[in-house]
Amino acid sequence: DGQTVYVIFLKKPTESSMALQSLDIPKGSKVSVLGSGEKVKWTKTEQGTFLSLAPSLFSSGQHAWVLKVAMAP
């Protein structure tokens, strides 16, 4: 649809927050962990987009973790 971006992590996130410097997420967009439906809180600053990740969202034993970014129009 051109309005959805998927961010794939091949290693389990180890921090509760992380920065995405190469992805410009517009205000009003929604970020969630694919498969859980849980929303991810995020903020945008001059240094990049910062995501707040709950460790419980990333169960062990997975091969990859995916964030779904539904871009606001």
Side-chain angles (χ1 to χ4, degrees):
D1 65 6
Q3 298 296 317
T4 304
V5 173
Y6 295 92
V7 179
I8 301 168
F9 300 97
L10 298 178
K11 292 176 77 177
K12 181 178 180 178
T14 57
E15 302 291 327
S16 61
S17 67
M18 66 175 54
L20 297 177
Q21 296 174 345
S22 61
L23 181 62
D24 184 28
I25 301 176
K27 185 176 181 179
S29 298
K30 296 180 180 170
V31 180
S32 61
V33 176
L34 201 64
S36 77
E38 293 285 332
K39 303 291 184 226
V40 174
K41 294 180 182 179
W42 62 276
T43 57
K44 187 174 175 179
T45 70
E46 292 178 6
Q47 289 78 29
T49 301
F50 291 86
L51 307 171
S52 296
L53 306 171
S56 61
L57 294 177
F58 299 97
S59 61
S60 60
Q62 301 292 324
H63 299 287
W65 292 264
V66 182
L67 297 179
K68 178 180 179 182
V69 182
M71 300 288 199

